[in-house]
Amino acid sequence: MIIRGEANPAPLHPILFFIILMLLSVSWSIASGQEQEPFETIEAGVYYTGQTSSTEFAEFWEPEFGMTGLLMTPFYAGKIYLGGRYTAFHPRDGSLPEFTDIYLHLGWGYAFSPGGKLRWFTSVNVGNDAFIFEMGNLYSKYESELGGGVVSEVSVPIISGMRGSLRAGYHRIFTARRINMVLLSLGVSYTGDTPGWLEGFLP
């Protein structure tokens, strides 16, 4: 990544907040017996994602557009998911290049229903942030960094099998000077039974 220098640790309070949410959701889910058979269903979701940085990164670039896609299924404990997030960044200074960040990740979390049809899902994820810088003259520069984050989501049913969701998250990119992102997403997901041909490949 272009920003270099001494490490800039993230404040602990956002991470601790999401860890507390995770522990609460795990405890509630176990106590209420809200579990499914592993790989019984597949949930596909797409979300518009806005974000802002809590570090000096925000002084150089601003996000223009972001989308997140997820595939999630029940696991032996909680749920696992495969996700991808695309974000385009525009420089505040014309001397810097535009770039896109593609974050591919794996996640795990717990979901429970605190009451009625409301669902609360809290998770952690880890993956790779791929940066593609537009350098001009049809030339692009590629960089890759480790990333990870925590997400909490509330959702309600819209129609049969479909839910509307509001997600809030905290993402950290492990560049030389850490980049810390606060994420807010709005979208929909659809849940269906796992196809029989796919179940044969799953443990």
Side-chain angles (χ1 to χ4, degrees):
M1 193 66 188
I2 288 180
I3 298 178
R4 300 293 181 186
E6 296 180 358
N8 181 19
L12 289 178
H13 53 84
I15 299 174
L16 291 175
F17 173 73
F18 280 99
I19 289 176
I20 291 172
L21 290 182
M22 171 73 76
L23 293 175
L24 287 174
S25 60
V26 169
S27 300
W28 187 287
S29 182
I30 293 175
S32 59
Q34 297 177 14
E35 287 294 318
Q36 290 180 290
E37 289 296 320
F39 312 112
E40 181 180 10
T41 61
I42 291 181
E43 180 176 352
V46 60
Y47 311 87
Y48 175 81
T49 303
Q51 58 183 282
T52 184
S53 174
S54 60
T55 57
E56 66 177 297
F57 173 84
E59 299 176 10
F60 300 94
W61 285 278
E62 59 181 343
E64 288 190 319
F65 175 79
M67 292 293 295
T68 300
L70 295 176
L71 288 175
M72 182 163 60
T73 186
F75 198 53
Y76 295 95
K79 295 175 181 286
I80 57 171
Y81 60 88
L82 174 66
R85 185 174 69 244
Y86 170 93
T87 310
F89 287 88
H90 182 75
R92 298 183 186 276
D93 182 341
S95 65
L96 296 173
E98 295 185 349
F99 78 94
T100 57
D101 174 17
I102 300 174
Y103 177 55
L104 299 178
H105 55 283
L106 293 172
W108 171 86
Y110 258 89
F112 75 98
S113 297
K117 298 180 179 180
L118 182 70
R119 186 183 74 179
W120 182 15
F121 178 66
T122 305
S123 68
V124 296
N125 60 74
V126 64
N128 180 75
D129 280 276
F131 303 103
I132 304 173
F133 293 89
E134 301 300 327
M135 309 302 291
N137 298 321
L138 302 179
Y139 169 71
S140 296
K141 180 181 179 181
Y142 174 87
E143 293 190 20
S144 179
E145 301 286 353
L146 175 67
V150 285
V151 178
S152 190
E153 171 191 303
V154 290
S155 65
V156 293
I158 302 175
I159 58 175
S160 178
M162 184 171 289
R163 304 184 71 88
S165 303
L166 177 65
R167 298 161 51 89
Y170 182 84
H171 181 66
R172 186 171 190 180
I173 305 173
F174 292 88
T175 49
R177 295 185 70 85
R178 306 297 190 242
I179 300 174
N180 308 313
M181 294 286 186
V182 177
L183 312 172
L184 189 63
S185 303
L186 185 65
V188 295
S189 64
Y190 179 81
T191 302
D193 293 335
T194 302
W197 63 266
L198 182 57
E199 287 183 331
F201 291 95
L202 299 173

